[in-house]
Amino acid sequence: MQKTTLITGGSRGIGAATALMLARQGHDICVNYCSNQTRADDICEQARALGRNAIAVQADVSVESQVLRMFDEIDVQLGNLTGLVNNAAILMPQMPLVEMDADRVNRILSTNVTSSFLCSKEAVKRMSTDFSGQGGAIVNVSSAASRIGAPGEYIDYAASKGAIDTLTRGLSLELADQGIRVNCVRPGFIYTDMHADGGEPGRVDRIKSAIPMQRGGSVEEVAEPICWLLSDSASYVTGTFIDVAGGR
Ligand code: NAP
């Protein structure tokens, strides 16, 4: 069966590497992005050069109406969805709890958590055997921050990833007899532009001596287990977590 996978936040970083790796493995892809159309189009062009169908769809995945429109576009342009990577997330500048306001915390939670609920819901309606679907797989991208807590920096972000861990566990059990596997990858410190958004572009290099393997990770090292969890090689794997954090 042709695999067709939506990668949220597929325009850069881990999402872009995952989209390209999936295309190389034969998936048709929907590359979701929020603001950077040029980069999303570039990923799709590379996928088409590999012979795949690929579409770039703009949608703020924290907004239900935009998520619904995105899935409508997938239905029309790509057809039968078989996979979802809940990857899109944001980080905001480092600060302790006492400096955080409600707007910041709500924005982190809606972008990082509500988005995964909304996208998973639409994917389930298309993939679940209870809805006449043919099954599929969901991979949630959490973070080592859910275990570490990111004190003094971003406990809001860390807590959002704790919610993703719990969503993974609960949804995997809810869907286990509906043909959908739900798993989670938890990266550690990976070289992407996200750290600049969090106020410290050189963060990975500052922290790497505290990582047991003494280095940050690459986006491809995270994309590999995501792609494996989506593949038929992982057909008996659900509700599980793969830490990609150099031993941390
Ligand atoms: P990144 O480079 O900052 O890329 C984030 C992606 O998400 C971009 O494609 C961005 O699209 C998209 N995005 C942001 N807000 C969105 C929204 N509201 N709706 C739709 N798309 C949105 O991030 P990354 O470092 O690759 O991280 C990817 C995932 O890995 C995230 O879940 C992150 O929490 C997790 N993670 C990363 C690290 C790390 O060290 N980098 C560590 C642990 C976990 P536009 O560019 O178009 O706005």
Side-chain angles (χ1 to χ4, degrees), residues 4-248:
T4 301
T5 300
L6 163 63
I7 306 98
T8 68
S11 57
R12 72 180 205 186
I14 292 166
T18 301
L20 284 174
M21 200 173 282
L22 288 171
R24 280 195 291 275
Q25 294 177 5
H27 291 236
D28 290 342
I29 54 171
C30 173
V31 176
N32 158 253
Y33 67 98
C34 190
S35 58
N36 201 325
Q37 180 173 2
T38 307
R39 288 166 90 144
D41 283 343
D42 177 58
I43 302 298
C44 288
E45 260 178 44
Q46 292 184 58
R48 285 187 208 108
L50 294 163
R52 307 271 65 88
N53 286 332
I55 58 171
V57 180
Q58 193 284 331
D60 178 340
V61 285
S62 67
V63 179
E64 187 163 29
S65 59
Q66 298 189 27
V67 169
L68 292 174
R69 176 180 46 73
M70 174 170 66
F71 276 83
D72 284 347
E73 285 194 41
I74 293 170
D75 291 343
V76 171
Q77 296 193 51
L78 294 178
N80 189 36
L81 188 76
T82 62
L84 165 66
V85 183
N86 281 314
N87 168 78
I90 55 167
L91 197 61
M92 291 172 86
Q94 294 151 316
M95 61 178 66
L97 169 80
V98 290
E99 291 173 21
M100 290 179 186
D101 61 21
D103 283 348
R104 168 180 164 129
V105 175
N106 287 334
R107 185 158 172 240
I108 290 283
L109 292 176
S110 64
T111 305
N112 297 4
V113 182
T114 307
S115 58
S116 296
F117 278 77
L118 296 175
C119 291
S120 297
K121 176 180 170 181
E122 292 311 306
V124 167
K125 281 164 37 184
R126 286 156 177 82
M127 302 191 308
S128 164
T129 52
D130 281 8
F131 289 84
S132 306
Q134 293 180 303
I138 297 173
V139 176
N140 295 325
V141 182
S142 173
S143 171
S146 74
R147 295 181 282 111
I148 295 162
E153 293 191 313
Y154 341 84
I155 60 171
D156 50 353
Y157 170 85
S160 77
K161 295 303 187 177
I164 293 300
D165 290 0
T166 306
L167 167 67
T168 301
R169 189 69 192 137
L171 193 60
S172 69
L173 296 171
E174 195 169 303
L175 300 176
D177 64 356
Q178 295 180 37
I180 302 177
R181 299 180 294 100
V182 184
N183 291 290
C184 186
V185 168
R186 291 190 293 209
F189 295 92
I190 311 300
Y191 288 100
T192 73
D193 294 336
M194 178 176 251
H195 303 287
D197 292 349
E200 191 186 354
R203 183 163 180 250
V204 178
D205 283 331
R206 173 175 64 83
I207 282 168
K208 68 182 180 188
S209 62
I211 298 168
M213 287 179 70
Q214 299 287 300
R215 66 171 179 88
S218 72
V219 290
E220 286 77 18
E221 288 175 308
V222 183
E224 286 281 1
I226 296 174
C227 294
W228 179 74
L229 285 166
L230 287 171
S231 76
D232 293 339
S233 301
S235 54
Y236 199 50
V237 180
T238 197
T240 201
F241 297 80
I242 299 181
D243 291 318
V244 188
R248 185 150 164 156

